[in-house]
Amino acid sequence: MGGDFGPHCIVPACIASLAEHPSLQLILVGLPSVIEPLIAEHPSVDRSRLLVHPASEVIAMDERPAQVLRGKLDSSMRQALELVRSGAAQACVSAGNTGALMALSRHVLKTLPGVDRPAMVTAIPTQHGSCLLLDLGANIDCSAEHLYQFAVMGAVAAEALGTSNPRVALLNVGTEEIKGNQQVKLAAALLREARALNYVGFVEGDGLYRGEADVVVCDGFVGNIVLKASEGLAAMIVARVEALFRSGPAARLVGWLALPLLRRLQNELRPARHNGASFLGLQGIVVKSHGSAGLEGFRMAIRRALTEVGENLPQRLHGRLEHLLL
Amino acid sequence: MGGDFGPHCIVPACIASLAEHPSLQLILVGLPSVIEPLIAEHPSVDRSRLLVHPASEVIAMDERPAQVLRGKLDSSMRQALELVRSGAAQACVSAGNTGALMALSRHVLKTLPGVDRPAMVTAIPTQHGSCLLLDLGANIDCSAEHLYQFAVMGAVAAEALGTSNPRVALLNVGTEEIKGNQQVKLAAALLREARALNYVGFVEGDGLYRGEADVVVCDGFVGNIVLKASEGLAAMIVARVEALFRSGPAARLVGWLALPLLRRLQNELRPARHNGASFLGLQGIVVKSHGSAGLEGFRMAIRRALTEVGENLPQRLHGRLEHLLL
């Protein structure tokens, strides 16, 4: 029910995903009166693979997490998480209120042993590949221990996604040991002791995009701002290039040829919007699709959930965390 | 003496600046044995406008500020600041160690009444213009009062640079009042009370580049990471576009036509590298050129210093700060 476009975007995205993944079964949780007519527009869909689970309430995009925890027991978001908790579903994908989703996920699914707070993670593109950046805004203030836990979780996620012995770094204002705030310096001390992790030290903002690490850890305040600033900058570059290319007939020709390439790049550079973000550290899989994600963005979020199911990510995390945190 | 390229870049930049600004006089502070031979390569230069002030020591790029304050009384950086303090110079421009420059600037020049900590500011490009971003790394941990002072200083600087009634915003993870860390929320409360400022609320990372404000305030940890991440992303986009354009003969032609435009854009997107950053809140003008700035970057830093001299920025700040802070 969530996101800027709601079921009008999510239902077609789900139907497209069913075609893409023949063994996928989806349960749409929300108001049947809204969802059913949208499904009915696709009469050929196999309804045995597209179920509707009714929920009578919807969490608004601006509701406060504390409020959400107390009220709305029959919200679509809570019911979807209950399906994961009970085992009726293997993952929950939502485009709704991020803070509410995080609060409800912790409440309904609980964190893995040793994890104080789940983190939000996504893959961002780098010069020659990609890297996982976390936390993206679920945890505004973080202690050194929280950053350490994020590093462990990020490393396990990177391994599950195919990077062996991932390089783990802390995002900081310099690479020397004396740089940074107290939390970052203390987290570095903890990570230097963690022999089972391939900790490579601090990376700066530019090192992030140079691909100096496979997992980059920061608090949610910094991560959220860096990610959104990157999206904004990418959009601005494309807008400026478009304007440059409108400046004359020869430039127009170049623009006509170059812009599809630039747009492809821009999509890659809107990672959360494009790929969705995972909540790590929960006893279950939760993927957050960006609120303003279109059909393609929601499909990407479903794909990400499928990958995590295939890799058994919570169980893998559980095993590694026991070793590294407890 | 500072920066990645030292006097080999700074001396030619200074000579070019003298040609650009006929009323400019420059004093090069440092080791005459290094500087004089570089000047001698330009025999036509008017030496009455290019003086050398000897200083026997150089602060290394990795020296700690505390160490710098105690020792090296005859460093080029300290001597240059002493020239500003005594009135022998109207501004100091340095490409050296940022932390040392900030510590020495505070020690030698002192802050303006009401200012706890000077801030580092630069102009970053936005969708339709530019905005001032501060702090960029001089102050890693900031209280709400510090953020408030940065907002006031940024607004005065924006006015001095030609923006009337500049829109002032706090960088945050959301635009709603409940979002953000404690410092940001408290700073917002202070700014809402400051009727003399045009406070427009929170902006998110993408709003920064959409140009939602003329002055964007954050702590130095966030500002430094956002600025460097933006530089890194811009460099990555250009590198990726170059790679795309090498993918075939038609693409090569497009690339050949488009890359000069993109490179121009990239330079704009490396603001600190390109424009230098000002220290605001001191009883004197100090401009920091990026350590890796080339000749053009150092010329831009000199231009920025000239603008601030022309606008009498410290005196303007002093007048407004008395009104807004004391």
Side-chain angles (χ1 to χ4, degrees):
Chain A
M1 300 303 299
D4 298 353
F5 311 114
H8 292 271
C9 167
I10 293 171
V11 170
C14 289
I15 289 169
S17 296
L18 290 174
E20 187 184 342
H21 309 283
S23 67
L24 175 66
Q25 192 184 46
L26 291 168
I27 310 169
L28 302 179
V29 186
L31 299 169
S33 60
V34 175
I35 298 170
E36 288 290 359
L38 291 166
I39 299 177
E41 291 174 17
H42 305 265
S44 65
V45 71
D46 175 0
R47 288 301 306 263
S48 73
R49 292 173 58 210
L50 187 66
L51 312 177
V52 174
H53 184 94
S56 62
E57 292 172 301
V58 175
I59 292 170
M61 292 303 269
D62 58 355
E63 268 179 272
R64 299 176 68 146
Q67 200 177 327
V68 164
L69 282 177
R70 279 193 304 269
K72 293 200 180 170
L73 293 179
D74 197 35
S75 70
S76 54
M77 197 182 270
R78 187 185 283 246
Q79 290 305 322
L81 291 164
E82 290 288 356
L83 291 177
V84 175
R85 193 189 54 75
S86 71
Q90 288 172 279
C92 166
V93 177
S94 169
N97 181 327
T98 308
L101 183 62
M102 179 55 90
L104 281 174
S105 296
R106 285 178 70 173
H107 180 72
V108 173
L109 296 176
K110 313 297 179 207
T111 55
L112 290 166
V115 174
D116 290 331
R117 302 183 186 184
M120 221 171 134
V121 65
T122 197
I124 65 162
T126 62
Q127 204 97 42
H128 303 289
S130 71
C131 90
L132 294 182
L133 179 67
L134 75 165
D135 176 54
L136 300 178
N139 307 282
I140 295 306
D141 291 300
C142 293
S143 69
E145 286 73 22
H146 296 141
L147 295 175
Y148 175 73
Q149 292 174 14
F150 298 168
V152 172
M153 294 195 290
V156 176
E159 278 173 4
L161 297 169
T163 306
S164 64
N165 200 27
R167 296 160 302 155
V168 177
L170 289 165
L171 192 57
N172 199 359
V173 297
T175 54
E176 305 88 350
E177 268 189 37
I178 58 156
K179 290 289 178 74
N181 57 30
Q182 208 53 32
Q183 303 89 284
V184 163
K185 283 189 258 190
L186 287 173
L190 293 173
L191 284 164
R192 278 193 293 270
E193 294 301 310
R195 298 287 153 94
L197 284 185
N198 181 14
Y199 173 64
V200 297
F202 295 138
V203 297
E204 298 186 64
D206 46 348
L208 183 67
Y209 285 104
R210 266 202 301 272
E212 291 176 1
D214 302 304
V215 176
V216 175
V217 174
C218 57
D219 68 47
F221 191 81
V222 171
N224 181 286
I225 289 174
V226 165
L227 189 69
K228 287 183 182 157
S230 298
E231 286 185 13
L233 177 57
M236 187 189 89
I237 291 178
V238 172
R240 287 226 175 175
V241 170
E242 284 176 337
L244 284 173
F245 286 156
R246 277 194 302 269
S247 59
R252 247 194 299 279
L253 173 66
V254 178
W256 184 73
L257 292 163
L259 280 176
L261 299 179
L262 288 173
R263 291 239 176 74
R264 196 204 304 166
L265 205 61
Q266 186 191 12
N267 267 332
E268 269 189 68
L269 294 169
R270 298 190 298 186
R273 213 157 291 230
H274 196 60
N275 301 329
S278 304
F279 288 178
L280 287 182
L282 294 164
Q283 298 186 31
I285 295 168
V286 180
V287 175
K288 171 70 176 66
S289 173
H290 198 290
S292 70
L295 192 150
E296 194 47 42
F298 205 83
R299 279 179 72 174
M300 289 292 282
I302 292 173
R303 262 181 235 148
R304 173 172 273 270
L306 276 169
T307 304
E308 293 186 14
V309 170
E311 294 292 335
N312 236 328
L313 193 55
Q315 284 76 355
R316 279 179 83 140
L317 270 170
H318 182 49
R320 287 298 297 277
L321 290 169
E322 277 203 317
H323 179 62
L324 280 158
L325 293 180
L326 297 181
Chain B
M1 301 303 297
D4 298 351
F5 310 115
H8 292 271
C9 167
I10 294 170
V11 170
C14 287
I15 289 170
S17 295
L18 290 173
E20 187 183 341
H21 310 283
S23 66
L24 175 66
Q25 192 183 47
L26 290 169
I27 310 170
L28 302 179
V29 187
L31 299 169
S33 61
V34 176
I35 298 171
E36 288 290 0
L38 291 166
I39 300 177
E41 291 176 17
H42 306 264
S44 66
V45 72
D46 176 359
R47 288 301 304 262
S48 72
R49 292 173 59 212
L50 187 65
L51 312 178
V52 174
H53 184 94
S56 63
E57 292 173 301
V58 175
I59 291 169
M61 294 302 272
D62 57 356
E63 268 179 271
R64 298 174 71 143
Q67 199 177 329
V68 164
L69 283 176
R70 281 194 304 270
K72 293 201 181 169
L73 294 178
D74 197 36
S75 70
S76 54
M77 197 182 270
R78 186 185 283 245
Q79 289 305 321
L81 291 163
E82 288 289 355
L83 292 176
V84 175
R85 193 188 53 76
S86 71
Q90 289 172 279
C92 167
V93 178
S94 169
N97 179 327
T98 309
L101 184 63
M102 179 53 89
L104 281 173
S105 296
R106 287 179 69 172
H107 180 72
V108 173
L109 298 175
K110 313 297 181 206
T111 54
L112 291 166
V115 174
D116 290 331
R117 303 182 184 185
M120 222 172 136
V121 65
T122 198
I124 65 163
T126 62
Q127 203 98 41
H128 303 290
S130 70
C131 90
L132 293 183
L133 180 67
L134 74 167
D135 177 57
L136 300 177
N139 307 283
I140 295 306
D141 290 301
C142 292
S143 68
E145 286 73 22
H146 295 141
L147 295 175
Y148 175 73
Q149 291 175 14
F150 298 167
V152 173
M153 296 196 289
V156 176
E159 278 172 6
L161 297 170
T163 306
S164 63
N165 199 26
R167 297 162 299 156
V168 177
L170 288 166
L171 192 56
N172 199 358
V173 297
T175 53
E176 306 89 349
E177 271 188 36
I178 58 155
K179 289 290 178 78
N181 58 30
Q182 208 53 30
Q183 303 91 280
V184 163
K185 282 189 258 191
L186 286 172
L190 292 173
L191 284 164
R192 278 192 294 270
E193 293 301 309
R195 297 287 153 95
L197 285 186
N198 181 14
Y199 174 63
V200 297
F202 295 138
V203 297
E204 298 185 64
D206 47 347
L208 184 67
Y209 286 104
R210 265 201 302 273
E212 290 177 2
D214 302 304
V215 177
V216 176
V217 174
C218 57
D219 68 46
F221 191 81
V222 171
N224 181 285
I225 289 175
V226 165
L227 190 68
K228 287 184 183 157
S230 298
E231 287 185 13
L233 176 57
M236 187 189 89
I237 291 178
V238 172
R240 288 228 176 172
V241 170
E242 286 176 335
L244 284 174
F245 286 158
R246 277 195 300 270
S247 58
R252 247 195 299 279
L253 172 67
V254 178
W256 184 73
L257 293 162
L259 280 176
L261 299 178
L262 287 173
R263 291 239 176 73
R264 197 205 303 164
L265 204 63
Q266 186 191 14
N267 267 331
E268 269 190 67
L269 295 169
R270 298 190 298 185
R273 214 159 289 231
H274 196 60
N275 300 330
S278 304
F279 289 178
L280 288 181
L282 294 164
Q283 298 186 31
I285 295 168
V286 180
V287 175
K288 171 68 176 67
S289 172
H290 199 288
S292 70
L295 192 149
E296 194 47 42
F298 204 84
R299 280 178 71 175
M300 290 292 281
I302 292 173
R303 261 179 236 149
R304 173 173 272 269
L306 278 167
T307 305
E308 294 186 15
V309 170
E311 294 291 336
N312 237 329
L313 192 56
Q315 284 77 357
R316 279 179 83 140
L317 269 170
H318 182 49
R320 287 298 298 277
L321 290 170
E322 276 202 318
H323 179 61
L324 280 158
L325 294 180
L326 298 180

